[in-house]
Amino acid sequence: PMPAADAGAGPEAAVDAAARYAAELAEHADDLGPGGEPAPGVPVFDVLLLGVGPDGHVASLFPGRPALGLRGATVVVEEDAPKPPPLRLSLGADALRAASEVWLVVSGEDKATAVARGLDPEEDAVRTPAVAARGRRATRWLVDRAAASQLRG
């Protein structure tokens, strides 16, 4: 299990917790070596199951936040999340993209815009982080009717 980012301990403790968890995951990672995907030390999950927030965030990767753009980091720290708790640990975008399959489970009309943007091939991951959650073999969107209400076709 990922350790909690203890808001009372501060960002430094969260950075330490992220490093410890990244090291633990690296112990179990498939080392595909230079030029392989993913990078050495990045865990390869068979299936990564994620929710999507109304703003298009996945894990604790929020639109426009610095943690979203970090490369080479298996686990990242979000110090000022736009929803509680403000201090969080999250798998980084590289770890999300290393998964063999990513399944995004979404329900509710309040997430319809996020689903439509997340499935738009022209959408930017900075605005809609769900775009960055793509499996190497497959990406599956499991949505209810309400969440799919803004999809065309």
Side-chain angles (χ1 to χ4, degrees), residues 116-124 131 134:
R117 288 193 332 228
L119 287 167
D120 181 348
E122 303 296 318
E123 182 61 30
D124 184 291
V131 170
R134 296 287 183 258

Side-chain angles (χ1 to χ4, degrees), residues 16-31:
D16 290 342
R20 284 192 312 275
Y21 189 58
E24 182 179 343
L25 289 174
E27 289 177 25
H28 303 287
D30 292 331
D31 187 1

Side-chain angles (χ1 to χ4, degrees), residues 17-18 21-22 26 31 42 48-49 53 56 58 60 68 71-72 74 77 79 90 95 106 114-115 119 144 148:
Y21 189 58
D31 187 1
V42 175
L48 188 57
L49 181 67
V58 292
S60 286
L68 178 62
R71 296 292 171 252
T74 302
V77 176
E79 294 184 28
S90 177
V106 193
V115 170
L119 287 167
D144 66 6

Side-chain angles (χ1 to χ4, degrees), residues 78-108:
E78 173 55 65
E79 294 184 28
D80 190 23
K83 61 182 257 182
L87 183 61
R88 299 162 171 242
L89 299 184
S90 177
L91 289 176
D94 287 350
L96 300 185
R97 285 190 293 270
S100 294
E101 293 194 17
V102 172
W103 297 2
L104 298 137
V105 181
V106 193
S107 67

